[in-house]
Amino acid sequence: MDHHIIAERTEPGGESLKEWHMVRGGEPTAMCGRKIDLAETRLPAEAWGTEEAKPFCHSCGALFLRESP
């Protein structure tokens, strides 16, 4: 399954990062269930666990680990 990381901002269209979420493919919902703006900043799934992808949604991270080989 194709995964990627998408930013959630503190307010829509804002500059401040709230946290990063993991998304399956092109789904508009993060793995934690939060609706995500697919036009937001993206990172590859390989960035999970790095400084670049902090702060990261705890729920998305736990679910991603269950799906990762």
Side-chain angles (χ1 to χ4, degrees):
M1 166 129 338
D2 182 40
H3 293 85
H4 55 275
I5 299 168
I6 296 186
E8 177 188 4
R9 303 293 172 185
T10 55
E11 56 186 65
E15 300 271 329
S16 298
L17 175 70
K18 180 176 180 183
E19 63 185 350
W20 294 97
H21 292 274
M22 189 65 72
V23 177
R24 292 180 190 102
E27 292 182 16
T29 305
M31 293 178 73
C32 67
R34 185 175 297 272
K35 296 286 184 195
I36 295 293
D37 179 0
L38 296 178
E40 267 296 348
T41 306
R42 292 182 181 213
L43 296 173
E46 294 76 30
W48 184 85
T50 68
E51 289 297 318
E52 185 179 17
K54 288 184 179 179
F56 200 85
C57 171
H58 178 77
S59 297
C60 283
L63 292 167
F64 177 64
L65 285 177
R66 295 181 131 223
E67 290 187 6
S68 296

